[in-house]
């Protein structure tokens, strides 16, 4: 694969070299001591925000091996359309893959989205969809190498809110400018 990045790590995980594959996919890393090394090839990717890591392949080989083949998996895709509770397209949303943490901003007049070049190794992703004023939705999606998994129409519902106040336990005085995060756990 042209312009793929190959990293070479010794088995103690120290990076020993880095190179880019040429137009014919060939690479060479020189000056290695005797021993075994882990080679990691990463597909070239755009610098745009990605919801997932780039496609990768890994192989362990002894120094001096001249027949190494790093085979990147066929990428998977996830597509769908985001609608609000009234069946209107959501024109701006963020999508993340729960297992990987990256975020992709989606802007589309018809609410359609596509997550391309996904590594199929996990076999399943949790697609998290969020939009202003809507409750976040998580859609589990099974994926296969070289295939598109279409989640169809995904309906977001209006979000709810929590309000309250923060008080000092000792004085009972209201406290200003306190920031806190919110975790969610469904209680039964």
């Amino acid at each position: 694969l042209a312009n793929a990045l190959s990293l070479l790590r010794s088995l103690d995980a120290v990076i020993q070299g880095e190179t880019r594959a040429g137009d014919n996919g060939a690479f060479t890393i020189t000056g290695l001591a005797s021993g075994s090394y882990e080679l990691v090839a990463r597909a070239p990717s755009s610098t745009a925000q990605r919801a997932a890591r780039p496609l990768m392949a890994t192989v362990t080989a002894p120094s001096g091996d001249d027949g190494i083949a790093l085979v990147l998996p066929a990428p998977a895709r996830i597509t769908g359309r985001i609608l609000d509770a009234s069946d209107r397209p959501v024109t701006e949303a963020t999508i993340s893959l729960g297992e990987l943490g990256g975020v992709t901003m989606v802007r589309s007049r018809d609410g359609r989205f596509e997550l391309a070049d996904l590594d199929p190794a996990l076999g399943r992703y949790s697609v998290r969809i969020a939009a202003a004023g809507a409750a976040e939705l998580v859609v589990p999606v099974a994926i296969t190498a070289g295939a598109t998994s279409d989640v169809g129409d995904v309906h977001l519902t209006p979000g709810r809110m929590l309000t309250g106040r923060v008080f000092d336990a000792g004085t009972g005085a209201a406290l200003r400018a306190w920031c806190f995060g919110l975790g969610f756990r469904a209680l039964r």
Side-chain angles (χ1 to χ4, degrees):
L1 180 62
N3 208 26
L5 175 66
S6 294
L7 297 174
L8 179 69
R9 293 189 288 226
S10 59
L11 293 183
D12 61 1
V14 175
I15 293 180
Q16 300 289 324
E18 178 178 311
T19 189
R20 293 215 178 261
D23 289 342
N24 63 355
F27 66 91
T28 302
I29 300 175
T30 61
L32 300 176
S34 181
S36 290
Y37 293 87
E38 180 181 65
L39 288 102
V40 179
R42 185 178 70 215
S45 61
S46 71
T47 56
Q49 287 184 320
R50 292 180 50 89
R53 68 179 188 198
L55 295 173
M56 296 172 71
T58 303
V59 67
T60 300
S63 57
D65 190 341
D66 63 0
I68 298 169
L70 287 156
V71 181
L72 293 172
R77 293 179 345 140
I78 298 173
T79 59
R81 187 169 68 145
I82 306 167
L83 302 172
D84 66 17
S86 300
D87 276 341
R88 291 185 304 255
V90 173
T91 59
E92 192 169 300
T94 58
I95 297 179
S96 63
L97 298 175
E99 295 75 11
L100 301 171
V103 176
T104 297
M105 185 65 160
V106 176
R107 290 183 180 92
S108 167
R109 288 195 322 228
D110 62 1
R112 295 194 185 283
F113 70 90
E114 175 183 343
L115 303 174
D117 299 326
L118 300 176
D119 187 342
L122 291 176
R124 180 172 222 55
Y125 284 106
S126 297
V127 179
R128 294 176 144 349
I129 303 170
E136 182 179 85
L137 182 65
V138 178
V139 180
V141 182
I143 62 168
T144 305
T148 297
S149 297
D150 185 5
V151 298
D153 290 347
V154 177
H155 289 84
L156 297 181
T157 58
R160 297 185 144 194
M161 75 168 90
L162 295 171
T163 60
R165 296 177 63 192
V166 179
F167 295 96
D168 181 286
T171 66
L175 299 174
R176 302 180 63 167
W178 280 73
C179 297
F180 55 92
L182 177 67
F184 173 75
R185 181 177 67 186
L187 302 176
R188 295 183 195 266

